[in-house]
Amino acid sequence: MKLTEARIDHALNQLNAQVPSTQALPENHPITDQLSDVFGDHTFFFDAGGLTIIEPAKPDDESASLGQVIKLASWIDDARTKLAPHPPEYTAVVVELDRAA
């Protein structure tokens, strides 16, 4: 799911309260196209654990008011420079999206 700038900002405020140091990957970053080729068209986030996305908490609802954080890849080095993709891991982290729609 691609998020609007307002939804990204709103999600980051909540994520950083639950998962400190979370950052959104800028849409114009050179790696965004590669990540989209592998994982689909999403807004990507990085944190201490790896690469995540936010999907509607209710399947098939792109206008969902709640989004669930899904981990797609984990860091494989202490310097956090290399990621290893893995099957999606649904986390317990849920963010509110509707106020920033």
Side-chain angles (χ1 to χ4, degrees), residues 23-63:
Q23 298 178 9
L25 185 66
E27 192 64 35
N28 61 353
H29 193 282
I31 199 166
T32 302
D33 288 338
Q34 293 173 27
L35 291 173
S36 292
D37 288 345
V38 174
F39 299 111
D41 200 23
H42 297 282
T43 299
F44 296 98
F45 296 87
F46 287 98
D47 61 33
L51 175 71
T52 61
I53 59 172
I54 296 175
E55 283 292 300
K58 294 180 183 177
D60 302 321
D61 186 3
E62 287 286 322
S63 64

Side-chain angles (χ1 to χ4, degrees), residues 50-83:
L51 175 71
T52 61
I53 59 172
I54 296 175
E55 283 292 300
K58 294 180 183 177
D60 302 321
D61 186 3
E62 287 286 322
S63 64
S65 62
L66 295 176
Q68 183 173 11
V69 176
I70 301 169
K71 189 173 177 182
L72 301 175
S74 297
W75 299 112
I76 59 172
D77 63 336
D78 291 338
R80 297 182 185 150
T81 59
K82 296 179 183 176
L83 287 165

Side-chain angles (χ1 to χ4, degrees), residues 14-28:
Q14 296 169 77
L15 286 171
N16 279 309
Q18 299 178 64
V19 185
S21 301
T22 301
Q23 298 178 9
L25 185 66
E27 192 64 35
N28 61 353

